[in-house]
Amino acid sequence: MITVAAGPFAPGHLGELTQQVPFEMVDAVLAETRCLQRRVRDLPSRVVVYLLLAGCLFAELGYRQVWQRLVSGLEGLPVADPSEAALTQSRRRLGPQPLRALFDLLRGPAASMAGPARWRGLLVCAIDGTTLFAADSAANLARYSKQRGGRTGGSSYPMLRLVTIMACGTRSVMDAVFGPITSGETTYAKDLLARLPAGVLLLADRNFAAGHLLKLVTGRQAHVLVRAKTGRGGPKLPVLLRLRDGSYRSVFGGQSVRVVDAEISIKTKAGTVTGVYRLITTLLDPDTYPATAILRLYHERWEIETAYLEIKSSILGGRVLRARTPAGVDQEIHALLVTYQILRTAMTDATNSDTSVDPDRASFTIALTTARDQVIHAAGVIASTVIDLIGKIGRLVLDDLLPERRLRVNARIVKRAISKYNARGPNIDRRTYKATISLTVLAGPALTTSPDP
């Protein structure tokens, strides 16, 4: 039975949104955060939560149009017809707390039966940051500033910084924090690392090569693998003991570490590019964690960059967030993370049905478009007695797997400049090349008799 008071949602109406986030979970979160409606409304709190999640599936639309898609498959049923103002008031009335609590319930590594989810008993994760644009309103500008600099005058919209920890094998969100861009990635990382679970191997880029961050990781019974600068500005890493695999023991931030210096060459038909890289890790045993294996594993750090592409390009389409207040931004970002996590979990459940399929071969675009279709068509409004462990999203993902990842490279350049003044010349080679990579572990600097204080 569907009534105006209950909203246009029967079990299964939102497809796998309500499978991954069932009504009971939403109601429990609303009760915990004391955000249940106090009287019967056309837009109960539960309905507003699902509206926000559906809004992330249709980032190009206003909430009034999102609502129309939610009810488009329920023609003939007594559903509410709220105005844009009513939808705005309902979102403000709900606040950000239920979406935060929902994200806390759903965050974490999606269980995977294949792919590099774990490496030698450690859960492989990556930490990094990105930026998002908020609506250009006075309320948002009081919290989020515009970025300065450049001949074009910086950003036109308020910007915020999002820092996450992602499980590399499934690209699922382990944890996230965000705030104004006036604070850097390493500042926000402190909050994330204070909650880091034990048994994690955290991959990070050069920006996170700081002694105090390494202490936070080891204090959580976790490990770190981070790239460090090799020239001026890089950390001083005295050579205390040379190891049989070419790496050496050192000290960094008061912690005993192992350093791997390597020369990496990438050969394509366009030529060969060679660079020297330095990795710092708390994995001290060269027999259990050989230097060459560590170098190959570090490439998994790029999975978090792909995850950010899926969030910012596939879901948001490069658009500015809708919310015009800081509380609304908080609400919308947590809804975005919850929606992303739902899709990632559905994709992992699908690939788990065939352990020979790497989660990397699951198409995020197919998962996203299928979820959109389920909402529009009111998929599953009639409950079935058959339990579908894979779901519609999973079946379509498995029916059209991506090809196995090939070793290919291309230049890391701006492909579409924000303005003509930022273009990097008329003769940019944007082609992708098949590549051959060779690794050579270097001997490192001379042995040091005693570490620097």
Side-chain angles (χ1 to χ4, degrees):
M1 179 67 179
I2 299 176
T3 64
V4 172
F9 301 100
H13 170 207
L14 297 180
E16 289 174 67
L17 280 179
T18 48
Q19 290 181 24
Q20 302 288 347
V21 186
F23 294 163
E24 295 82 3
M25 180 187 292
V26 174
D27 290 344
V29 162
L30 291 170
E32 177 187 346
T33 56
R34 299 182 180 180
C35 291
L36 281 170
Q37 66 278 355
R38 297 182 180 180
R39 61 183 177 86
V40 176
R41 298 179 180 272
D42 285 351
L43 294 173
S45 299
R46 177 206 288 173
V47 173
V48 180
V49 170
Y50 286 114
L51 172 69
L52 287 163
L53 299 183
C56 296
L57 296 177
F58 301 98
E60 72 278 11
L61 304 178
Y63 281 108
R64 170 69 178 165
Q65 294 169 298
V66 173
W67 178 265
Q68 291 169 350
R69 277 152 181 76
L70 282 175
V71 301
S72 62
L74 304 177
E75 187 175 353
L77 296 176
V79 296
D81 185 23
S83 65
E84 187 71 44
L87 293 171
T88 300
Q89 291 169 6
S90 67
R91 299 195 310 276
R92 289 178 179 173
R93 186 169 58 244
L94 181 70
Q97 291 84 359
L99 276 301
R100 284 187 211 157
L102 196 57
F103 173 67
D104 281 337
L105 282 176
L106 296 175
R107 67 183 176 89
S112 175
M113 305 298 290
R118 288 187 177 272
W119 183 76
R120 308 192 183 212
L122 298 170
L123 179 65
V124 181
C125 299
I127 185 172
D128 205 356
T130 189
T131 56
L132 296 170
F133 292 100
D136 193 4
S137 66
N140 281 343
L141 281 170
R143 169 70 174 161
Y144 302 110
S145 61
K146 297 181 181 181
Q147 190 175 48
R148 298 179 180 179
R151 289 176 292 178
T152 58
S155 66
S156 299
Y157 291 91
M159 295 181 68
L160 58 95
R161 194 181 308 280
L162 172 68
V163 181
T164 69
I165 295 176
M166 297 270 186
C168 294
T170 58
R171 296 185 209 142
S172 52
V173 186
M174 296 283 291
D175 205 350
V177 65
F178 65 92
I181 59 168
T182 48
S183 295
E185 293 176 348
T186 56
T187 300
Y188 291 116
K190 295 177 184 178
D191 292 336
L192 293 179
L193 298 181
R195 302 190 294 265
L196 189 69
V200 163
L201 174 56
L202 190 65
L203 312 183
D205 65 15
R206 289 177 292 184
N207 191 39
F208 295 90
H212 67 283
L213 297 181
L214 185 143
K215 286 183 179 180
L216 287 174
V217 175
T218 56
R220 300 294 296 177
Q221 305 302 310
H223 289 278
V224 66
L225 176 58
V226 60
R227 185 181 170 192
K229 295 179 180 179
T230 56
R232 174 182 286 184
K236 294 182 179 180
L237 298 167
V239 181
L240 304 182
L241 176 66
R242 295 194 183 280
L243 302 172
R244 64 178 62 90
D245 65 348
S247 62
Y248 59 91
R249 293 283 292 271
S250 186
V251 62
F252 180 52
Q255 303 285 308
S256 181
V257 298
R258 184 161 148 244
V259 182
V260 180
D261 287 338
E263 182 180 84
I264 302 178
S265 297
I266 302 177
K267 183 179 180 180
T268 70
K269 65 180 183 180
T272 301
V273 177
T274 301
V276 176
Y277 298 84
R278 171 170 289 169
L279 298 181
I280 302 174
T281 182
T282 54
L283 301 173
L284 303 180
D285 187 354
D287 295 327
T288 306
Y289 313 105
T292 53
I294 286 176
L295 288 167
R296 292 189 179 96
L297 176 69
Y298 185 73
H299 187 72
E300 291 296 317
R301 192 200 73 78
W302 286 96
E303 297 295 341
I304 194 171
E305 304 287 359
T306 303
Y308 283 146
L309 176 70
E310 292 166 346
I311 292 172
K312 297 171 64 174
S313 182
S314 297
I315 296 181
L316 291 177
R319 295 178 179 84
V320 176
L321 298 174
R322 300 182 182 92
R324 303 187 65 80
T325 65
V329 169
D330 190 334
Q331 183 186 68
E332 187 174 354
I333 288 179
H334 282 101
L336 179 64
L337 292 172
V338 168
T339 303
Y340 175 80
Q341 190 77 343
I342 291 170
L343 294 173
R344 270 285 152 205
T345 302
M347 294 165 67
T348 304
D349 289 346
T351 55
N352 279 344
S353 66
D354 184 350
T355 57
S356 65
V357 177
D358 192 305
D360 283 344
R361 296 189 61 195
S363 169
F364 187 82
T365 302
I366 289 177
L368 177 61
T369 54
T370 305
R372 289 171 173 169
D373 291 343
Q374 286 184 322
V375 171
I376 294 173
H377 298 151
V381 74
I382 304 300
S384 172
T385 58
V386 178
I387 299 176
D388 188 353
L389 296 178
I390 298 179
K392 179 69 171 179
I393 292 177
R395 287 194 300 275
L396 291 181
V397 165
L398 290 175
D399 287 344
D400 196 5
L401 291 171
L402 298 174
E404 292 185 5
R405 187 174 292 179
R406 297 170 294 171
L407 183 56
R408 299 176 72 89
V409 297
N410 65 353
R412 194 180 183 191
I413 58 174
V414 176
K415 291 188 176 181
R416 185 183 64 180
I418 298 173
S419 80
K420 63 182 180 180
Y421 299 105
N422 293 331
R424 298 188 179 181
N427 299 316
I428 300 173
D429 185 0
R430 295 185 172 91
R431 291 172 291 179
T432 299
Y433 296 95
K434 292 181 180 180
T436 301
I437 297 179
S438 60
L439 306 174
T440 304
V441 178
L442 303 177
L447 191 68
T448 305
T449 56
S450 61
D452 292 339

